Amino acid sequence: MDPILKIISIIGILETLVLLVGIIWAIVLWAKGILPVLVHLGNGLAKRKIAVFAKHDDLSSIIKLLTDSKLFNKNNICGITKKEDIGVAEQASVYIVYWPDWKDCIIDVLNKKPDACPLIIYAPVDQSRIPEDQMRNIDGHRHTAVTNFRGRLLNDIVTAMITTSYEKK
């Protein structure tokens, strides 16, 4: 009976070692894969400034959409309502453009946008479509996205915050 107990004891020790190695490996993978994403997202949601390029009711509607999600702090959102105020967006690290209000000034916004700053253009389906030449121009800039749905807009903002780095200004 003694040799059987010794064999079972050795097998138990080996299983425990395999389990410990597996747990340590899972923690390392989590720390290398998921933790950086959570840090980027946390910094983005807490600290990054969002510039919303829209006018009148559209501006308040987009800001309400962002704040109602409880993901974004209203103090981190600034509204840009006219071309002359584009310079205010320098403090922002994410640009959201409401296409129907800014279609005539999109080149100015693209020229002002820093290379590392994500730009999300919200072009609702029931409004004017973005012309093909403008789409090519938008696509020629880094970190740009076009969305047609409000829910997708939130998703694109969160994704942009995760995939672009946050630099303190």
Side-chain angles (χ1 to χ4, degrees), residues 102-132:
W102 283 82
K103 61 184 168 191
D104 298 329
C105 302
I106 193 65
I107 291 174
D108 297 314
V109 174
L110 286 168
N111 289 337
K112 189 66 171 176
K113 178 186 100 59
D115 191 45
C117 176
L119 167 71
I120 298 128
I121 298 176
Y122 175 45
V125 176
D126 63 341
Q127 301 288 328
S128 62
R129 303 206 32 93
I130 301 175
E132 194 65 33

Side-chain angles (χ1 to χ4, degrees), residues 117-147:
C117 176
L119 167 71
I120 298 128
I121 298 176
Y122 175 45
V125 176
D126 63 341
Q127 301 288 328
S128 62
R129 303 206 32 93
I130 301 175
E132 194 65 33
D133 61 324
Q134 288 284 38
M135 286 294 279
R136 276 193 287 283
N137 185 22
I138 293 165
D139 186 44
H141 290 79
R142 291 177 49 155
H143 305 299
T144 56
V146 176
T147 187

Side-chain angles (χ1 to χ4, degrees), residues 7 9 14 23 37 47 51 54-55 58 63 88 90 98 103 106 121 139 141 156 162:
I7 292 173
S9 175
L14 290 175
I23 289 172
V37 172
K47 299 177 182 175
K55 298 177 182 170
D58 301 319
I63 290 174
V88 174
E90 287 178 353
Y98 184 68
K103 61 184 168 191
I106 193 65
I121 298 176
D139 186 44
H141 290 79
D156 286 348
I162 292 171

Side-chain angles (χ1 to χ4, degrees), residues 8-155:
I8 291 174
S9 175
I10 292 172
I11 292 173
I13 291 171
L14 290 175
E15 286 178 343
T16 302
L17 289 175
V18 169
L19 179 65
L20 288 175
V21 168
I23 289 172
I24 291 169
W25 184 247
I27 290 170
V28 167
L29 290 177
W30 188 87
K32 288 175 70 177
I34 295 175
L35 187 61
V37 172
L38 293 177
V39 169
H40 275 242
L41 181 58
N43 281 335
L45 295 176
K47 299 177 182 175
R48 291 177 86 169
K49 305 284 186 211
I50 300 172
V52 179
F53 295 81
K55 298 177 182 170
H56 312 296
D57 291 340
D58 301 319
L59 175 62
S60 59
S61 175
I62 292 172
I63 290 174
K64 185 165 175 29
L65 173 72
L66 297 176
T67 56
D68 283 354
S69 72
K70 305 225 187 314
L71 292 174
F72 308 100
N73 184 341
K74 189 172 185 169
N75 297 332
N76 291 344
I77 302 170
C78 69
I80 315 291
T81 58
K82 52 188 174 180
K83 181 180 174 181
E84 296 78 24
D85 293 340
I86 291 177
V88 174
E90 287 178 353
Q91 297 300 316
S93 59
V94 177
Y95 288 8
I96 301 170
V97 175
Y98 184 68
W99 175 256
D101 291 347
W102 283 82
K103 61 184 168 191
D104 298 329
C105 302
I106 193 65
I107 291 174
D108 297 314
V109 174
L110 286 168
N111 289 337
K112 189 66 171 176
K113 178 186 100 59
D115 191 45
C117 176
L119 167 71
I120 298 128
I121 298 176
Y122 175 45
V125 176
D126 63 341
Q127 301 288 328
S128 62
R129 303 206 32 93
I130 301 175
E132 194 65 33
D133 61 324
Q134 288 284 38
M135 286 294 279
R136 276 193 287 283
N137 185 22
I138 293 165
D139 186 44
H141 290 79
R142 291 177 49 155
H143 305 299
T144 56
V146 176
T147 187
N148 302 107
F149 302 103
R150 295 173 84 73
R152 182 71 193 183
L153 177 62
L154 286 172
N155 183 61

